[in-house]
Amino acid sequence: MTESVPTLVELPRPRALTEAEHALMARLVTFADVPSLSEQIATVRVVSTCDCGCASVGLRTEGPQVPATAVARLSDTGRDDYFAVSASGGGDVSVVLHVLSGLVGELEIYAGEGVPVAAPHADTVINIWIG
């Protein structure tokens, strides 16, 4: 038997962030303290959702990009094309904001593969770290 791999499935039409998604992203971006990330939230749209039942979403924004030098500084591996802002969302929920080539690319919200979960309230997000 082959296990399925969770996949982000493109939405027929991009949608706005929910209030909970927006508040969560704002908290993570504020922690990162990168002005261009804060500006990206103004134009971010949800373009895909995970097919496993978690609350992860794929994102698209009009920018502006985080400079590669800042990305490398924030990456725990020194990569200039990727870093993440991660947190615990209360209980067993984990949250990761993936920044790809200087743009927010995915807000991962999960409590285990296939476990239905909603975006946690931004005030419950703890243990935030960047890497």
Side-chain angles (χ1 to χ4, degrees):
M1 185 166 124
T2 307
E3 284 188 43
S4 65
V5 175
T7 305
L8 288 174
V9 178
E10 192 169 332
L11 296 173
R13 262 178 282 147
R15 67 166 174 81
L17 293 168
T18 65
E19 189 176 313
E21 291 165 342
H22 185 273
L24 192 55
M25 277 192 63
R27 179 153 166 91
L28 297 173
V29 164
T30 298
F31 184 83
D33 194 28
V34 177
S36 50
L37 279 182
S38 296
E39 292 177 50
Q40 288 180 28
I41 292 177
T43 64
V44 75
R45 304 290 289 171
V46 173
V47 295
S48 56
T49 57
C50 190
D51 65 358
C52 85
C54 71
S56 298
V57 292
L59 307 169
R60 185 173 302 137
T61 183
E62 299 300 316
Q65 280 185 285
V66 176
T69 53
V71 173
R73 179 177 48 79
L74 294 166
S75 171
D76 57 3
T77 61
R79 289 176 57 175
D80 67 0
D81 65 340
Y82 173 82
F83 76 92
V85 183
S86 304
S88 300
D92 294 333
V93 178
S94 295
V95 178
V96 182
L97 178 63
H98 298 276
V99 179
L100 313 162
S101 299
L103 299 171
V104 292
E106 180 183 3
L107 179 61
E108 195 174 358
I109 305 167
Y110 62 95
E113 188 175 323
V115 176
V117 63
H121 192 278
D123 291 342
T124 66
V125 172
I126 56 174
N127 300 325
I128 303 173
W129 69 96
I130 299 174

